[in-house]
Amino acid sequence: MLPLPKKYFLTAASCEGETELTAFDRALLEAGVGNTNLLRVSSILPPGCEYEPGLIIPPGSLLPIAYGTITSCEPGARIAAAVAVGIKKDSFGVIMEYEGYCSKAEAEEMVVKMCREAFRVRGLELDEIKIAATEHLVEKIGCAFAAVPLWY
Amino acid sequence: MLPLPKKYFLTAASCEGETELTAFDRALLEAGVGNTNLLRVSSILPPGCEYEPGLIIPPGSLLPIAYGTITSCEPGARIAAAVAVGIKKDSFGVIMEYEGYCSKAEAEEMVVKMCREAFRVRGLELDEIKIAATEHLVEKIGCAFAAVPLWY
Amino acid sequence: MLPLPKKYFLTAASCEGETELTAFDRALLEAGVGNTNLLRVSSILPPGCEYEPGLIIPPGSLLPIAYGTITSCEPGARIAAAVAVGIKKDSFGVIMEYEGYCSKAEAEEMVVKMCREAFRVRGLELDEIKIAATEHLVEKIGCAFAAVPLWY
């Protein structure tokens, strides 16, 4: 089977670019995962996976990652992305992502709400929620990106 | 290289949620894959991969999976998702996914039709088709999800 | 961790199909990756990853791949997809993808432009760009697909 990730962190960043894809690329760079190969997952914190902020991912790595992202070409638009990790001791956790034309606070509120619902339907008690979020006022072409990279 | 999956099953389920993402999350839970990290693939049954219904996937696993899914916020809308696995003895197989505003029967018809086309263009004879499908009448926010998890 | 890809190639192809998904499936077959499980990545050429055109991928493999693709049901529409790999000796590289209602030349121009921006923001000098692109005039349902498969 594919190896179970053992470490994670949260990150969020926004950036402008000359195109939608390079705005995304630059937001990834700001978020510290721009030189890796994102492998998008949906989205459970493996049991025993430990929080390690500041983790450096080697360039080119296949990086399992849960993320929310939005790119916009509407100058003046406010965009935001957020992630939340719902944590329960001695259990797996749940990761929720959100992105939209909204403020950082609204995106944060959404991921927290979704995390609570995810725990409630699983009959799990929530010990802690970690969140990361970003908002951006689009100048020309902008991207907001929030993520939970899972690593080894 | 990444390890070749050795087992598979089919699953389908629908659910309501308070948001689009949690409706999706709850459909995954009903489908038996809600506590895993879905790694979406497109979409071949590896040669020698064996059918094993009722397989339990450990929480947090990186799970290669082919799926069709649709989420809707239109109360009263009928949504459906289906998957088909086209099987040929001593060969790889083909997985087809469909989702839309339609009935379960229509989604099933589509995935069967696509499976036949995929086999025809490969010059392969089709020994058997397995299908799984679900339909859902949206109350507030609903999700239909059909999948072929690939495992070890 | 997941194993780092060691080889890559570029490929591009277009095809018609009876449905959107089978048009995509047939374009993948023409591109030489139709019998594999695409695992979409975003999108760095790992350091030391070597160019190996004509590489054969075993059926069913989980294949890390960066790609751009577009499917259209508008008869007469021109669609195109392109990928570019920006290469720098003794470093990782960057892969850019584009797809749209445009010509092959326009798609190529876009991926080259994005590659240059990606190198510029990283402060890296660009030694070489490899590109692959395809365009297609839709008859009924068509797909254009351009990709950089990463392999072992």
Side-chain angles (χ1 to χ4, degrees), chain A residues 41-85:
Chain A
V41 298
S42 167
S43 40
I44 293 294
L45 184 71
C49 197
E50 296 201 348
Y51 180 56
E52 192 165 321
L55 200 58
I56 305 293
I57 313 293
S61 299
L62 298 179
L63 176 64
I65 187 168
Y67 64 86
T69 191
I70 180 170
T71 307
S72 170
C73 307
E74 296 174 36
R78 182 183 309 273
I79 55 176
V83 285
V85 183

Side-chain angles (χ1 to χ4, degrees), chain A residues 99-141:
Chain A
E99 67 280 316
Y101 285 88
C102 62
S103 69
K104 181 179 169 181
E106 288 165 316
E108 287 174 338
E109 199 180 311
M110 276 300 294
V111 287
V112 168
K113 179 188 156 189
M114 294 193 293
C115 241
R116 292 195 189 285
E117 181 183 348
F119 268 68
R120 196 173 63 243
V121 300
R122 285 171 174 81
L124 286 177
E125 231 173 289
L126 192 48
D127 286 341
E128 183 195 349
I129 297 185
K130 288 187 197 299
I131 59 177
T134 181
E135 73 172 33
H136 182 67
L137 216 54
V138 178
E139 291 164 40
K140 220 179 109 200
I141 302 177

